Every structure is written in structure tokens, then in C-alpha cells.
Amino acid sequence: MDFSFNEEQETVGKVARQLFEARATPEHLTELESGGLRHDPALWSELASSDLLGIALPEAVGGSGGGFLELGVLLSEVGWSVAPVPVYATLILGADTIARHGDSDIQQQYLPGVIDGSVILTAALAEPGNSNPAAPRSTTARQKDDTWLVEGVKDMVPAAQLANAIVVSAVADDGPGLFVVDAAAAEVVVTPVPTTDGEPYAQVSLTGAPARRLNGDGDIVGSLYTRALVGLCAIQVGVTERALRIAASYTAEREQFGRPIGSFQAVQQRMADAFIDTEAIRWTTWHAAWLIAEGRPAAREATIAKFWAAEAGARVVATAQQVHGGMGIDITYPVSRYYLWAKDIELALGSASQQLARLGTAYPEGRK
């Protein structure tokens, strides 16, 4: 099985890295974070100008017609530079979902704006007291004439305070579904919540918010959850690779007792383990992403990938932090951002233990 990228996918990665390394420098991030909201509108506009926001959207709405692997490559570069832009929320949670399940009217309403950078989207899956984001319980939708009305509360919605519209999972009379609400509607209250890494998250309260229902066969909420998991894993690929690279550079230069600390056996062992963990995250992520791109079932593989992104990702950034000694906990030093991002991804949409529980309950009884 060959997971090497084709020329178009490699180009996406190169263009994104050049842009992020020029704009999302540690100095610029420090300046941006001092302002409170970790979002760079100028960088978002540059992503649009570079034709990166439409890489996986249909040509009918002005996109490039690419697929899920292109999205994964872009997200890994977001993680590599811990870039302050809502690529995951807008492209994976919002635009990808509307492109797959929305009718032509709703696609034309939102997707051209995503491509030119004027529209930000997100999706609300997590609920208070519900450990399974793929199965909404307390958020409900009822139909009134030609409109759906959505009631409920959603937790930790990425970039909700920036979004123009939110895809909401809710339970209707005929089962779970996905509904698009206008974030500026009076019935939608968006309350920002503080986060350790400064990324914009919010609680979203809906009190009869008017919405349009997205269409699709099968479990479309579960499908969105699967793709959301793999999107998080793709970001973690970039986060862990860059954290490991920073740690390797430091241990090659920092000297103790007249030689680089990277020559000490204990440090070498920790770094070798971190490298193996990073490779495990990479291979399980791209396997799941490839299955999605091929239109094949990927729920189990996404769960496996998220387990590794959570469990192994936490180990990698802990190693990167610890080999730096006291510098590792200095919040002004770049490695601290990678530690916080990895911990955010570790818990988002289900921790490692929750993913193992999902795998256990899904495994057929009696299979050996």
C-alpha cells in the first residue's frame, strides 16, 4: 500500500508551508496571542488568495475539485506551524459537510464565500453530559412548515465566535441529522470559552434556531464525526513532527559535560520512542484518510488513528518538552505551543480511552 502523495498534494503542502512559515512566525504568534483572539484574518485572506481554501470543494462552486487527502495535507501544515486560522473548522467540519450533503442552494450560499475567504464555517457535535459526539441526545430539531427549529446546547465548538454559519447535529423525529443555522440569528447565543492553547472555542446555545436540514443516506452524523477525527489526526501529524524536529535541533546543540545532550543514551532512547510514536500517528492517519478519499468505510480506522494521535501525541510532546529541561515549560519558547496543541487534540472529540471503548463495543463478539 503506497501512501506517497501525488504532485498536486505535494504542491498543496509546499505552498501552505511557505505561507505559514512566512506569516505564522513565533514572533508574530506571540504578538497575535497578546490580543486575546488567536485568529489572523490577514493570513486567512492569503490562504484564499493562494487558492488553498477551495482545494477540496467542487468545481461547480469555484473549488479545485480535490479530495480528502488534499485537506489532510493542508491540515498537517496547519499543525506544523500551529497556524492561527480556522482551516479545520471551516473546511473539514463545515464546507466539506455542506459540499457532500447540501443542496445546490445552500452550497451556493456558503461555499463560494469559503473559497474567497469571506465565510467561516464550523460544526457543533459535542454536548454536555454526552461522551459520544457521533450520537446527539439533548439537541433536538422539529419541523415547522418549511423550516426546522433546533433546540439545545453544544460544547467546545471550534471557531464558533468567528463563524457565519454552524452545522449542528440534532435528533429529529426520524433520527439524528445535520442542520445548518445562521450564527448571527437571535436564537443562537455564542459564548466564547477560555482554552489553554488560546484557540477560539465557544459554547453554542440554540433556542428554536431556524435551520435547514442537510440530506444524505445512512449515518451522516457518524460520517462527519469520522472525518472530523481524521482531520484532528492530520493536524497532530504536523504538530508532533515539528515538536520532534525542534527537540532534535535542541539536543544536537545543547551541551553538558562537554558534549551534546543528544549523545546521551537516555535522551536518545526518549527521542527514538518519540520518533516511533510520530510514525504511528502518521501511518494510521494517512491510512484512514486514504480510505475516506476512496469512498470506503473508515470509522474503525479513524478511531484507531485518533487513539494514536491522542496517546502517542501526548508522549511525543512530553518528550519534546522534557529534553529542553527548564526551557520546555517557558511559555515564550515555541515548543510550548506544540505541547498545548497536542493536548487539545488529545481530548477533542474523545480521548484515547474513549476511542478504545468505541473500538471494544464495535468489535464483533466471538471473532478471533
Side-chain angles (χ1 to χ4, degrees):
M1 192 174 294
D2 183 8
F3 291 144
S4 58
F5 298 123
N6 61 34
E7 184 177 349
E8 291 79 11
Q9 291 157 357
E10 289 181 348
T11 299
V12 168
K14 289 177 182 177
V15 172
R17 182 164 299 189
Q18 290 172 359
L19 180 57
F20 289 146
E21 289 191 337
R23 294 282 309 185
T25 62
E27 295 77 17
H28 178 64
L29 292 178
T30 298
E31 179 183 357
L32 185 69
E33 290 159 359
S34 67
L37 185 62
R38 198 177 189 277
H39 170 58
D40 188 343
L43 178 55
W44 186 248
S45 296
E46 289 192 41
L47 285 172
S49 300
S50 301
D51 295 326
L52 288 173
L53 297 182
I55 55 170
L57 292 177
E59 295 178 359
V61 296
S64 303
F68 195 82
L69 280 172
E70 284 77 8
L71 275 182
V73 171
L74 177 57
L75 286 170
S76 70
E77 293 301 329
V78 171
W80 174 272
S81 295
V82 290
V85 282
V87 173
Y88 168 72
T90 297
L91 299 191
I92 288 284
L93 300 182
D96 177 63
T97 305
I98 290 174
R100 290 186 301 120
H101 300 300
D103 59 30
S104 59
D105 288 343
I106 198 168
Q107 288 185 13
Q108 290 295 335
Q109 179 178 355
Y110 293 113
L111 299 187
V114 168
I115 294 167
D116 67 24
S118 63
V119 169
I120 292 175
L121 302 173
T122 189
L125 296 174
E127 296 174 334
N130 181 3
S131 63
N132 185 4
R137 291 200 308 240
S138 59
T139 307
T140 60
R142 60 184 175 87
Q143 193 168 14
K144 182 179 181 181
D145 299 325
D146 295 331
T147 302
W148 288 86
L149 303 179
V150 181
E151 299 262 356
V153 176
K154 294 293 190 177
D155 272 345
M156 298 302 293
V157 182
Q161 58 267 65
L162 304 172
N164 301 92
I166 305 170
V167 177
V168 180
S169 63
V171 181
D173 289 340
D174 57 351
L178 296 174
F179 303 83
V180 181
V181 302
D182 184 348
E187 300 84 359
V188 179
V189 177
V190 177
T191 306
V193 297
T195 57
T196 55
D197 61 0
E199 282 295 286
Y201 282 85
Q203 182 187 79
V204 176
S205 300
L206 307 119
T207 53
R212 282 186 285 176
R213 187 171 189 173
L214 298 178
N215 302 312
D217 298 326
D219 182 10
I220 65 173
V221 178
S223 175
L224 169 55
Y225 179 64
T226 294
R227 297 165 89 93
L229 286 183
V230 180
L232 288 172
C233 295
I235 299 174
Q236 193 77 308
V237 169
V239 168
T240 52
E241 284 182 349
R242 187 64 179 277
L244 189 60
R245 183 73 62 87
I246 293 171
S249 297
Y250 179 79
T251 57
E253 298 171 359
R254 178 74 167 92
E255 293 190 356
Q256 282 283 7
F257 309 109
R259 59 184 177 132
I261 62 173
S263 65
F264 299 151
Q265 187 178 32
V267 175
Q268 291 176 348
Q269 288 174 336
R270 287 294 301 270
M271 293 293 287
D273 287 341
F275 173 77
I276 292 169
D277 276 337
T278 300
E279 288 297 292
I281 297 168
R282 185 206 310 275
W283 286 104
T284 53
T285 294
W286 296 130
H287 181 206
W290 175 78
L291 288 172
I292 291 174
E294 292 293 311
R296 296 169 60 175
R300 184 183 67 172
E301 288 75 13
T303 301
I304 293 170
K306 182 55 166 64
F307 166 80
W308 281 103
E311 184 87 355
R315 289 196 297 262
V316 172
V317 293
T319 291
Q321 187 182 64
Q322 288 164 13
V323 298
H324 278 83
M327 289 179 61
I329 59 173
D330 183 351
I331 61 173
T332 65
Y333 189 71
V335 77
S336 65
R337 292 190 180 94
Y338 293 89
Y339 182 87
L340 293 174
W341 267 49
K343 296 299 287 184
D344 182 355
I345 294 169
E346 177 188 356
L347 301 176
L349 296 182
S351 64
S353 60
Q354 287 173 294
Q355 302 307 324
L356 286 180
R358 286 173 58 84
L359 284 171
T361 56
Y363 203 80
E365 291 185 11
R367 183 175 175 180
K368 297 181 180 180

